[in-house]
Amino acid sequence: MLESFLRRPLLPLLALPLLLAPAPLPAQTGGAPYSVDGRGFNRLQDAVDAIGEGEGTIRIAPGYHRDCAVQTAGRIAFVAAEPGRAIFDGVTCEGKAALVLRGAGARVDGLVFQNMRVPDGNGAGIRLEQSDLEIVNSLFRASEQGILTADDPEATLTIDRSTFSRLGRCDRGLSCAHSVYTGIYGKVVVTRTRFEKGSGGHYLKTRAVTVDINDNSFDDTQGTATNYMIDLPSGSVGRIANNMFVQGKDKENYSALIAVAAEERKNPSRGLSIAGNRASLPAGIGRKSVFVADWSGEALAIGANELGAGLTRFEKR
């Protein structure tokens, strides 16, 4: 069974340059690291402020950017001039993230976020506090959290062709961090994205009212003290379809791969579609798990899924 899983590409093809790009030179060589309509800026915050309440694109030069910014207005696209070679490394604003977003909307394209750590254990590449956000072809790695959001029931978070690696933690007596953790967003869409090598917590935890989690890979084979692959702690409707799940050996909680309404029943879950997925446990592990564990008590629409040995299709809890 495991061999059939490994035949499927585990990394979105368009994300490969993010991992294979050569090490960039320092961002400050050869001109300003940030530009808006041809104007150069040495600080990301200055570029954000130049757009203000308007709409614009910040082009980000290759290099290691030990910088951060807070967006409070306007619609801004943060775009790497060369995808995979503009790296935000270890610097956060407001003790939160490299990008703190609470404007009228944002897009992140081709950026890398790494080594984000803060005192409360929630250091993230992006802290999304309101409005829509679209993320494409980006990489989040080696941080406490990849993306963390507040609540915005009218907004949508979209993640496509991206990678989340070596993220999450549950230590120091603090609340756990996760690769992606969203509050009560209106909709969360995750497509063609890879989650791998988690270092604690869940891979994708979202309280969104509606989810569309389609054509992703959740590869836990090198995870450490991880928990669920997908956690919908408040319940959700929508679909979880055509994903690949491989549970690893080093688990804090191996009892389920997908959890529905484990903490509360704030959102409806009736009709949540879970179909076309493939899942397996480690070969020779000698333990069992549940593909979908449900606390909602509502009728989920669990269709055909290809499950490996030791996996039970569904369990009501």
Side-chain angles (χ1 to χ4, degrees):
M1 179 73 181
L2 182 59
E3 290 180 358
S4 68
F5 279 91
L6 296 179
R7 285 199 294 269
R8 175 174 175 173
L10 294 182
L11 186 68
L13 293 179
L14 291 179
L16 282 172
L18 298 176
L19 298 180
L20 302 179
L25 296 172
Q28 286 72 22
T29 61
Y34 314 107
S35 65
V36 178
D37 295 331
R39 293 175 293 160
F41 298 90
N42 288 320
R43 296 178 62 246
L44 182 59
Q45 189 65 58
D46 292 340
V48 169
D49 293 344
I51 295 172
E53 296 183 356
E55 183 171 344
T57 297
I58 300 173
R59 287 180 59 82
I60 301 169
Y64 288 94
H65 299 267
R66 293 175 177 89
D67 199 356
C68 63
V70 179
Q71 176 197 4
T72 59
R75 296 179 181 274
I76 299 178
F78 299 85
V79 178
E82 298 180 29
R85 301 194 68 214
I87 301 171
F88 285 92
D89 186 17
V91 175
T92 62
C93 283
E94 298 184 343
K96 296 177 180 177
L99 295 181
V100 181
L101 306 177
R102 50 177 179 264
R107 174 181 169 90
V108 171
D109 187 343
L111 299 181
V112 178
F113 301 88
Q114 65 183 29
N115 300 324
M116 304 298 173
R117 293 172 178 81
V118 298
D120 72 0
N122 285 313
I126 297 175
R127 177 77 69 94
L128 175 62
E129 299 188 349
Q130 66 178 36
S131 301
D132 296 340
L133 171 62
E134 180 183 5
I135 298 167
V136 295
N137 201 28
S138 293
L139 170 63
F140 299 78
R141 65 186 175 196
S143 299
E144 291 167 327
Q145 207 142 216
I147 300 170
L148 175 62
T149 89
D151 298 338
D152 190 341
E154 304 301 318
T156 297
L157 168 64
T158 302
I159 302 169
D160 184 41
R161 290 181 291 117
S162 294
T163 299
F164 295 81
S165 182
R166 293 182 287 138
L167 301 163
R169 45 141 295 279
C170 283
D171 59 5
R172 291 173 278 165
L174 303 171
S175 297
C176 292
H178 315 281
S179 296
V180 174
Y181 183 16
T182 87
I184 303 172
Y185 249 59
K187 188 172 186 179
V188 169
V189 179
V190 185
T191 54
R192 297 180 292 178
T193 288
R194 177 169 171 80
F195 296 85
E196 65 170 14
K197 302 177 183 177
S199 50
H202 309 299
Y203 283 96
L204 174 57
K205 179 173 183 175
T206 176
R207 299 180 189 274
V209 176
T210 302
V211 297
D212 186 353
I213 305 167
N214 183 47
D215 197 23
N216 306 288
S217 65
F218 295 81
D219 180 8
D220 190 38
T221 53
Q222 297 182 61
T224 304
T226 53
N227 207 305
Y228 304 134
M229 307 283 198
I230 298 175
D231 183 23
L232 309 178
S234 304
S236 295
V237 294
R239 68 170 178 166
I240 300 172
N242 307 311
N243 302 287
M244 187 201 73
F245 302 90
V246 181
Q247 191 183 78
K249 295 182 179 181
D250 189 346
K251 304 292 292 182
E252 180 183 80
N253 181 349
Y254 61 82
S255 68
L257 277 67
I258 299 171
V260 181
E263 296 179 16
E264 59 185 4
R265 300 177 181 178
K266 191 165 188 175
N267 300 326
S269 298
R270 182 175 299 275
L272 172 67
S273 176
I274 304 174
N277 302 285
R278 294 186 288 164
S280 73
L281 301 181
I285 194 66
R287 70 180 186 221
K288 296 183 179 181
S289 186
V290 174
F291 182 52
V292 180
D294 175 52
W295 287 258
S296 75
E298 299 189 70
L300 309 183
I302 302 178
N305 297 281
E306 183 180 336
L307 305 181
L311 276 170
T312 299
R313 171 179 174 271
F314 173 81
E315 183 175 277
K316 186 174 290 187
R317 295 184 179 177

